[in-house]
Each structure stands twice: as structure tokens, then as C-alpha cells.
Amino acid sequence: MAASQKIFSAICFCFFLLALCTSAYEVSHDGRAITIDGARRVLISGSIHYPRSIPGMWPDLIKKAKEGGLDMIETYVFWNAHEPSHREYDFSNNLDFIRFLKTVQDEGLYVFLRIGPYICGEWNYGGLPVWLHNMPGIELRTANSVFMNEMQNFTTMIVNMVKNEKLFASQGGPIILAQIENEYGNVMTSYGDAGKAYIDWCANMAESLQIGVPWVMCQQSDAPQPMINTCNGFYCDSFTPNNPNSPKIWTENWTGWFKSWGDKDPHRTAEDVAFAVARFFQNGGTLQNYYMYHGGTNFGRTAGGPYITTSYDYDAPLDEYGNLNQPKWGHLKQLHAVLKSMEMTLTHGNVSTIDFNNSVSATIYATNESSSCFLGNANSTTDATINFQGNQYIVPAWSVTILPDCKNEGYNTAKVNTQTSVMVKTADKAENEGATLSWSWRPEILKDTIFQRKRYVSAHQLIDQKAATNDTSDYLWYITSVDIKEYDPIWSHEMSLKVNGSGQIIHAYVNGNYIGSEWAKYGVSNSVFEQKVQLNPGRNQIALLSVTVGLANYGPMFDMIQTGLPGPVQLVVQKGDETIIKDLSSYKWTYKVGLNGLEDKFYDLDSHQAWKWQAQQFPINRNFTWYKATFKAPLGTDPIVLDLQGMGKGFAWVNGFNIGRYWPTYIADEDGCDVEACDYRGSYGSSKCLTNCGQPTQRWYHVPRSLIKDDENTLVLFEEFGGNPSLVNFQTITIGSVCGNAYESNNTLELSCNERPISSIKFASFGTPQGTCGSFQKGSCESTRDALSILQNACVGKNTCTIEVSEETFGTVDCGGVPKRLAVEAVC
């Protein structure tokens, strides 16, 4: 063949492959399965939200999700991030959702695109732009033409962007499901008939976009056809779709819970998450999605609540920084592999159930060729001994045993046979001067704001902060003046200023002097600031700085919850039995959005104000102060965190990127933490398995490595409350030690320190060891061979080692019928 013919043939072959890879394929469903291109599937999905990470993290996160056994990635679309101002759009950097979808596609995974565009998600204002609130005649999330027009405009634009890139399955792309609205059924009754009319409109509008894949509505029991209604929650095994031809889909399996300022750290055990998943598929589940699989970080001002923390770790299988959260990631990976091995029988088999009473049951999926079985024990205290098809099985309480061939145990949700990784933070060794950074500073000059009011907006009433700011800033000044004569009935040296707030932060100034602050916590929507004040005869100025910590994101009419200072604002004095009140609420108030340093972008190195920093007379514990330092890139490749111990509250920027609000002085409640290891048995709730009592709610803040330059980097802090930056430092996160606690049952235990060698084995025992990682002890039954020596020989000096958990490895031992385990703790 001539060279030109070979080239032509090669080109033709390449175009053939391209056409094959991008050819449309059909996504359909019935009551048992989702069918993709003719194949009936059991689907495992996980939520990774693109704005809660940055593009440099996406390939690694998605690769780890695939390695963990996921078929699909779910993400919301974040309306307020993409359209911060009316008809002004942003799809840059970590908002480039098309790039994110293509990254998922490159890894060979499907996509579940939840357009919403209301999303909740503990995201500021539930993902809705605040400018909607300020449009004349609008009512949000109901049959209101103004809102529906805006929602349709944004939804259509997103769909068209996706279509233009051929990303729907009907075009050969990865998106096999889409969602319209979100959890509306939880609040619909509050909207009356207009709520039902709205949800019908949502369905019709979505269908009119003709995307060629099914639409879902989560938590919408009356979802109009052909919408698929789905379930959200910690457990969805008992959920039944409203149409027998709809597959059973679990849109949000909450792998943990979110955290708010002042609250403790929530955890959900690997055993309980696995139990919930196994129960779901035991009871006819088709698709389940982990919410979250990677929680990530609420960068900038994106956290909702109010009072949701910057960290959105969620105790997900991938932690905030992208590390494997072991044992959760590995335990679920093993579950996914077993479920995938049974896909044919789960999607084609006839189903039968045996009830053994006491919350114990067996479910059999059988075809002519094979069968697969689940043995479920939903009793929270009692293990079950089951005689099933001629064999005896012990099923621990609150667990599911899976028999892929209905004979041999392939997996039990309560038996964790993957390592536990203990993560540690280590000091940054890149700085020659150690942990101390060299700082400069500049003040936020408040008096310029308080006393120069001519260019500010004014009104004879207290304005909702959303209306005044359009949520362009956390900060809004409310400023008024009051004339008081000495003969005024209110006049006294014992006057108090009383301000009724909305649960957000209030800083109060009288005649330019700071008099105090007030704040609340998550779930509190009203608060009262009251402080004694000394006023002067004549004119006095009162300046109140209202500071939001995220806007409400959930609940009926959440958009109408007031922010800022709803009032009244009063001067109060007690004279004998008489309380005298002067109400200032209808006085002339002037309003100033933001702070000067934010307007002038002190955090931006390219700002014209960037040079006005000083090192002399360096202040600490001074409120409303800006600090700046330079630093070198921390060594290695481990994730980077910023330790802000010693600071009060504010914002942090690294190379101009806002890594979020910080507030290490907000201490978590003292009581309610679990002293003992958390018991996975029994229903999980967000108040179970709590840690971090009496400690800063969040001390460390994620700095993605792809933000860091090889040479010099800049850190800028805006300190609102007052703090000491001398303690601030950068650290890296790595595995400090690993533990295994694996059962004998044809299992192998893999121990890995990632890219670092195992330096020593601290503990090893095969038999009936007791305790948990960090506090293992030998039990009454011990193997004949020295487990410690065996592990030392197999693992020390290696990054990864694999041990067969069996008597062949450790020697024969009779533990009286008690299942034997290998417990090991290794130091990295």
C-alpha cells in the first residue's frame, strides 16, 4: 500500500473511532433497572461539586472516584455563582462546569446533572441569585411568571451549553440523567395550589428542552410523569417510586453531615453507610448516589446556612483535601465490587424474600443461570444466626451479608477489611525561618465610612440587607444620628442601645467609638444586641455594621427570611418602675455596602492600593485590620492547609484567591462528643458520633496546591474581630499511621502509606484482639506464630504491603467459634 493510502486509511480509522465514541446511545428505564445502550445496569454514583474544588483537583478526584467503584459523578449547577448579576455570567476557573463534565467523560464515567436551579446544598441562598429577591413582583419557587421566566432562561442556557458540547447521552456524551428543582416536595404544602402548579410547570418546561435523557425530581412524591421521583436521606431502602415503571433511585445518600460554626464534627461510620447501601439494593434499588463523595471547600462567600463552615468535608469517602477517607473509601469500594459482580441477577432475576422475624430477612435474586442473595439483620442490638439453603450464617446486628452465589459470604457491611488511615498535619519545612511568617499590615479605616455619608443611600426605615447589597458583600453599614437634649425623657447616663437583629453579626459604634458585638449560631434567625451607652447632649451618631455569615438555603419561603437589622433599634432607659424607649427605626438611616479594603481590593497584588502596607508598629488583637505575608511553596505534593490559630474571624486570600471565611475563635460546644468508639449499630442522625468538643470549630483551611506558585506566594488576611497572626503557619497533611482490623474469611489486608514507606509496626495480633486503632490490645485468643514479626518482615520499608488474613499465614488457633481477626497498627 502506498504511503498516501496508509495515511488516508489511518485517518478514516481515527474518524471511525471518534464517531463510535461520540455516537448517541439510548437511556431508558423500567421498574427494575436503568438501561444504557441496551445493558441493564446497577449504578453507583457520587457527588463532587465543581465549585467546591478547583480545576487542578478535578482529574485526581474523578480518578479516585472511579477507582472506588463509581460509575457516575453527580453535580449541581450553581445559578448564583454563574449569574451573580442579572444577565452577567461567569463560567471561568472553578465555575467552568463544561470542563468539569469533560473531565468526568475523559475518565469514562457517566454524569448525573442536577440543574435545579434551586439546589439547597448548604450553599449561599440555596444557589439562587439574590438579585432575584429584588425584582419587582417576584415570588421565588412558586407559580410566579417573573421567577419562572428567569428560571427558564437560566435552565435553557445551561441545557444549550451542554448540547453545544454534545454532552448528553443522546448525543454520545456522559450525561444520562438530569434533575429539575430540588426537594420541593418537602416544602410544597406551604405554597398551596400555586406550589402544585409550579411543579407541573417545572416538569413541562424540562421536557420541552428535549435533552434525550430522563429527568428526575427528588423528594417529590407527586412528580408528574415522565419525571422520576427519587429519595434523599440516610436510608432509602423502604422508598417506593410513584410509578411502577420508574426505577428506584436514591439521589442523596448522606455519607456524613455538614458542619456549622459553633458545632461539633459529625461522623457517619463506614459500616452504617455500607449497611444503608446494601439494604437499598437488597430491596430493589437501581441507582444510589453518595452525597457527598467529595465534599470539598466553601471558598469565598459561598457557604450558606447561615453559619455553615468553610469546610464542607461531610465525612465523605474523599476528604476535603482529596485524600482517601479510610476506611470508608475502601470499605465501600469492596461493596461496589461485590454488587457489580451480581449485576446480571439484580437486574434480570426473579425476586423472593424470606422473613425470619426480629428484623431479619433473606432476599434472593434468581435467574435460570445463577442466583445472588442478601441476608439482612436490621436489629440494632442482636446478632442473628440464620439457617439458609442448608448453611448456617451469623449476621451481626445492623448489617447485611451478601452471598454473590447464595452460598459463600462475599461481603458483610459490619466487617471492615480495609485500612484506617490516621492523617496528621506536619509543619512546612520550606521556610528557613521555621513557622514564623514576616508580616506587614494596614488598617481598615472605619471612621471614613462612619462620618462621610453624603454619597450613601438613605431611607427612613431599616432595610433588609439582601435588598441593600444584592449579596455583593457580607458587610452593610446602618448609620443614623439622634439629637438628645438634657431635658429629653430618655436622657440618662444609664441608657442602653438595643438592636433586634436577624441572628447574623452586629458590630456597634457610637460617636465613632466601638461599644460591642453580637452574633448567634446556625438555626437562629433572630437575636438582640443590648449595650450600655454614654451619649452626649446634642447630636450623636450611631453606626451599626451588620455582617452576614451566609444566607439561608433551605425551608419554605427561605428567601423571605430577613437579614441584616429588621429592628426595632431603640434607646432604652429604666427610671424607677418606668421603662422609657426612644425608637430609632424610622429615623433617617444611611447605608454603605462593604468595607473600603474590600472595595480597593487590598488582597489583590495588582490593585492600585497594593503598596500601602507597613511593618512598623505592628498591631495584634486589633479588629478590622489587614495583614499580609509572603511564603514559599510548601515542599512535596501533600495537600496544604493554613493554620489560623490565634486569629479571630475574617477572610483569607492566597495569591488573590479567597479561600473562605475563617473563624477559629468560635469554639464548639463542650458536651455531646463520643468518648468511646462510635457504635455503628442503630439509625444514624446528625447528632450521633460527634467529635471536637471544646475545640475551634475550624482551625485549618484548605489551600489547593494548584493555587501555589513555585517561587513567592502571598497570603492576605482581613481580621474582623482581632487576632495575633504570629501563630499563623502553613502545614501539609499526610498519613501518620495506618491500622487494619480485618476478618479471616478469604480476605487480604492491604496497608499503604501512600508514597511514603512503612517505618515500623507498632502492634499486630491475629486471633481476638480488642480495642480500636491507636489502642489495640491482645485478646484471650492469640495465633501460634508471632504476628508482629510476620508484619515487620512483610511491610517495613515498603510503601504498600498485602497480608493474607488466614491461619496459613499466622498459624492454627482455636478461638471457640469466635471469628478471628488481624489487628495491626503501622507507622508511616
Side-chain angles (χ1 to χ4, degrees):
M1 184 181 293
S4 59
Q5 289 178 305
K6 291 180 180 179
I7 293 171
F8 178 77
S9 298
I11 292 172
C12 289
F13 183 65
C14 288
F15 275 111
F16 168 74
L17 286 179
L18 182 63
L20 183 66
C21 293
T22 59
S23 60
Y25 54 96
E26 183 182 5
V27 179
S28 60
H29 61 82
D30 56 29
R32 285 287 302 280
I34 293 175
T35 300
I36 304 173
D37 209 19
R40 295 168 67 80
R41 301 295 305 275
V42 166
L43 292 168
I44 308 292
S45 175
S47 296
I48 299 176
H49 293 162
Y50 54 92
R52 284 178 160 139
S53 53
I54 63 175
M57 297 174 64
W58 295 344
D60 184 61
L61 293 174
I62 295 163
K63 180 180 178 182
K64 288 174 177 174
K66 183 177 181 179
E67 290 173 350
L70 267 58
D71 307 292
M72 179 162 55
I73 300 298
E74 175 275 331
T75 186
Y76 286 130
V77 178
F78 297 76
W79 187 359
N80 58 1
H82 292 304
E83 193 176 358
S85 299
H86 193 230
R87 299 299 188 267
E88 295 180 10
Y89 301 104
D90 187 357
F91 296 97
S92 62
N93 300 318
N94 66 332
L95 299 180
D96 188 350
F97 83 104
I98 294 293
R99 177 180 173 183
F100 178 80
L101 298 180
K102 289 182 176 180
T103 307
V104 177
Q105 183 180 32
D106 290 344
E107 199 60 55
L109 299 179
Y110 299 120
V111 172
F112 179 7
L113 190 64
R114 299 174 73 187
I115 298 175
Y118 165 75
I119 62 169
C120 182
E122 293 71 60
W123 188 265
N124 193 47
Y125 213 49
L128 299 180
V130 173
W131 52 259
L132 285 171
H133 174 81
N134 298 322
M135 294 185 75
I138 199 168
E139 293 179 66
L140 274 57
R141 300 183 74 200
T142 189
N144 173 273
S145 60
V146 181
F147 174 71
M148 291 189 297
N149 178 65
E150 294 299 327
M151 176 177 167
Q152 184 167 7
N153 178 78
F154 180 76
T155 304
T156 302
M157 182 184 67
I158 294 299
V159 166
N160 287 340
M161 289 178 68
V162 173
K163 282 183 176 180
N164 289 341
E165 300 295 330
K166 300 189 183 323
L167 292 173
F168 287 111
S170 55
Q171 303 170 294
I175 301 171
I176 63 171
L177 287 173
Q179 178 179 301
I180 195 71
E181 249 294 342
N182 188 56
E183 297 184 324
Y184 193 72
N186 294 350
V187 300
M188 190 172 74
T189 55
S190 299
Y191 296 88
D193 293 340
K196 177 58 177 171
Y198 166 67
I199 212 67
D200 289 343
W201 172 85
C202 287
N204 291 329
M205 186 268 289
E207 277 296 301
S208 73
L209 298 175
Q210 298 180 341
I211 62 175
V213 301
W215 287 92
V216 307
M217 285 183 168
C218 68
Q219 295 294 94
Q220 193 68 46
S221 59
D222 62 346
Q225 296 304 304
M227 302 289 111
I228 303 171
N229 71 305
T230 65
C231 180
N232 293 354
F234 291 116
Y235 309 95
C236 280
D237 51 283
S238 60
F239 166 73
T240 302
N242 65 3
N243 187 313
N245 293 318
S246 293
K248 183 172 178 174
I249 296 177
W250 190 357
T251 20
E252 293 186 13
N253 175 3
W254 301 328
T255 54
W257 201 241
F258 59 86
K259 185 165 70 168
S260 59
W261 299 111
D263 279 346
K264 300 166 280 287
D265 291 359
H267 302 278
R268 189 181 182 194
T269 64
E271 295 96 324
D272 187 61
V273 178
F275 171 73
V277 174
R279 289 275 293 180
F280 179 71
F281 286 105
Q282 178 179 0
N283 289 281
T286 297
L287 181 159
Q288 82 91 40
N289 176 69
Y290 295 109
Y291 187 99
M292 301 293 295
Y293 198 77
H294 169 256
T297 306
N298 291 317
F299 296 118
R301 302 178 52 252
T302 59
Y307 289 91
I308 299 297
T309 57
T310 298
S311 172
Y312 198 66
D313 181 86
Y314 220 87
D315 198 26
L318 298 177
D319 72 15
E320 178 180 3
Y321 318 108
N323 297 311
L324 305 185
N325 179 10
Q326 296 279 42
K328 188 173 285 185
W329 183 86
H331 192 46
L332 295 174
K333 175 183 179 178
Q334 293 173 352
L335 172 59
H336 304 156
V338 172
L339 291 171
K340 288 298 179 182
S341 74
M342 301 157 50
E343 188 168 50
M344 180 62 70
T345 54
L346 291 178
T347 57
H348 291 80
N350 295 317
V351 186
S352 59
T353 301
I354 301 172
D355 187 353
F356 295 104
N357 298 320
N358 200 27
S359 302
V360 180
S361 63
T363 304
I364 304 97
Y365 289 80
T367 66
N368 293 332
E369 293 77 24
S370 62
S371 60
S372 300
C373 297
F374 296 83
L375 305 179
N377 181 4
N379 191 296
S380 62
T381 57
T382 306
D383 296 350
T385 301
I386 300 174
N387 291 306
F388 177 72
Q389 296 189 356
N391 294 303
Q392 188 177 84
Y393 303 91
I394 297 175
V395 183
W398 204 254
S399 79
V400 175
T401 293
I402 302 177
L403 314 174
D405 58 0
C406 284
K407 293 181 181 178
N408 298 297
E409 179 177 316
Y411 184 89
N412 178 270
T413 61
K415 298 176 182 178
V416 178
N417 295 305
T418 191
Q419 76 176 36
T420 295
S421 298
V422 180
M423 309 304 291
V424 295
K425 300 174 180 71
T426 59
D428 171 25
K429 298 180 177 61
E431 298 290 336
N432 294 329
E433 64 270 29
T436 303
L437 298 171
S438 179
W439 293 93
S440 57
W441 73 285
R442 63 188 302 175
E444 174 70 32
I445 303 176
L446 300 180
K447 289 188 177 181
D448 286 355
T449 300
I450 294 173
F451 292 110
Q452 296 177 13
R453 298 160 43 191
K454 292 181 180 179
R455 60 189 175 92
Y456 303 160
V457 174
S458 62
H460 286 271
Q461 65 182 33
L462 296 168
I463 297 176
D464 185 283
Q465 189 158 343
K466 294 189 298 297
T469 68
N470 252 347
D471 197 42
T472 56
S473 174
D474 282 4
Y475 300 94
L476 177 65
W477 287 98
Y478 292 69
I479 305 171
T480 193
S481 58
V482 54
D483 285 314
I484 297 185
K485 308 300 182 183
E486 292 188 5
Y487 55 78
D488 193 306
I490 197 74
W491 175 256
S492 170
H493 292 294
E494 298 296 323
M495 272 185 289
S496 294
L497 174 65
K498 184 176 182 180
V499 182
N500 288 272
S502 59
Q504 305 265 15
I505 298 172
I506 303 170
H507 300 295
Y509 293 80
V510 173
N511 296 325
N513 299 311
Y514 172 72
I515 65 167
S517 301
E518 178 75 28
W519 56 87
K521 64 184 300 184
Y522 178 78
V524 177
S525 58
N526 56 73
S527 56
V528 177
F529 168 83
E530 189 164 8
Q531 183 68 38
K532 290 290 180 65
V533 293
Q534 294 291 327
L535 300 185
N536 302 319
R539 180 176 293 269
N540 295 267
Q541 189 174 67
I542 296 172
L544 306 173
L545 180 59
S546 174
V547 187
T548 55
V549 192
L551 301 180
N553 56 262
Y554 180 75
M557 287 95 169
F558 76 88
D559 53 295
M560 300 303 294
I561 296 174
Q562 286 191 301
T563 55
L565 307 179
V569 176
Q570 302 167 325
L571 293 173
V572 182
V573 67
Q574 190 74 32
K575 293 185 176 181
D577 294 334
E578 184 182 10
T579 300
I580 301 173
I581 297 173
K582 180 181 285 290
D583 193 334
L584 310 180
S585 305
S586 59
Y587 276 45
K588 181 181 179 180
W589 290 86
T590 56
Y591 297 91
K592 167 66 167 62
V593 177
L595 298 172
N596 294 327
L598 294 171
E599 283 187 4
D600 292 335
K601 298 183 179 180
F602 288 180
Y603 52 84
D604 186 347
L605 299 183
D606 296 326
S607 167
H608 69 283
Q609 295 281 347
W611 58 274
K612 295 182 180 181
W613 296 83
Q614 57 184 315
Q616 297 80 17
Q617 299 178 322
F618 187 79
I620 61 172
N621 300 320
R622 182 184 187 276
N623 62 4
F624 295 99
T625 303
W626 292 81
Y627 297 101
K628 183 174 75 168
T630 57
F631 64 97
K632 298 175 184 176
L635 300 178
T637 59
D638 292 325
I640 303 168
V641 291
L642 178 62
D643 182 358
L644 286 172
Q645 183 181 24
M647 301 306 293
K649 176 194 174 290
F651 284 99
W653 291 263
V654 172
N655 294 331
F657 182 86
N658 190 334
I659 64 171
R661 298 183 183 96
Y662 67 80
W663 201 346
T665 52
Y666 209 140
I667 305 300
D669 298 337
E670 292 280 352
D671 302 321
C673 287
D674 293 280
V675 178
E676 304 294 331
C678 179
D679 189 348
Y680 69 87
R681 298 174 300 176
S683 295
Y684 178 77
S686 59
S687 61
K688 184 179 180 180
C689 302
L690 301 173
T691 62
N692 201 49
C693 284
Q695 299 298 315
T697 306
Q698 186 176 348
R699 173 178 165 179
W700 290 279
Y701 298 80
H702 184 208
V703 181
R705 268 205 179 263
S706 50
L707 294 177
I708 301 299
K709 303 173 185 176
D710 292 335
D711 49 7
E712 188 175 80
N713 298 272
T714 302
L715 168 65
V716 175
L717 304 177
F718 170 61
E719 176 53 53
E720 182 182 323
F721 283 9
N724 183 359
S726 66
L727 300 175
V728 171
N729 65 94
F730 289 89
Q731 301 174 8
T732 56
I733 295 181
T734 190
I735 301 175
S737 60
V738 295
C739 294
N741 197 4
Y743 287 82
E744 179 192 35
S745 181
N746 299 317
N747 279 315
T748 57
L749 173 65
E750 180 182 282
L751 299 177
S752 174
C753 287
N754 203 358
E755 300 300 322
R756 300 167 60 214
I758 297 170
S759 61
S760 64
I761 303 297
K762 191 173 181 180
F763 177 90
S765 174
F766 178 73
T768 57
Q770 304 297 311
T772 58
C773 185
S775 60
F776 284 132
Q777 294 179 344
K778 291 185 177 182
S780 57
C781 182
E782 180 76 8
S783 61
T784 56
R785 298 174 191 163
D786 183 20
L788 185 63
S789 298
I790 294 171
L791 267 294
Q792 287 172 336
N793 292 332
C795 297
V796 172
K798 300 178 181 178
N799 292 0
T800 302
C801 63
T802 302
I803 301 295
E804 183 181 343
V805 184
S806 68
E807 290 186 342
E808 288 186 12
T809 304
F810 296 99
T812 304
V813 56
D814 183 4
C815 293
V818 177
K820 294 182 284 292
R821 293 182 294 119
L822 169 65
V824 57
E825 181 177 358
V827 180
C828 297

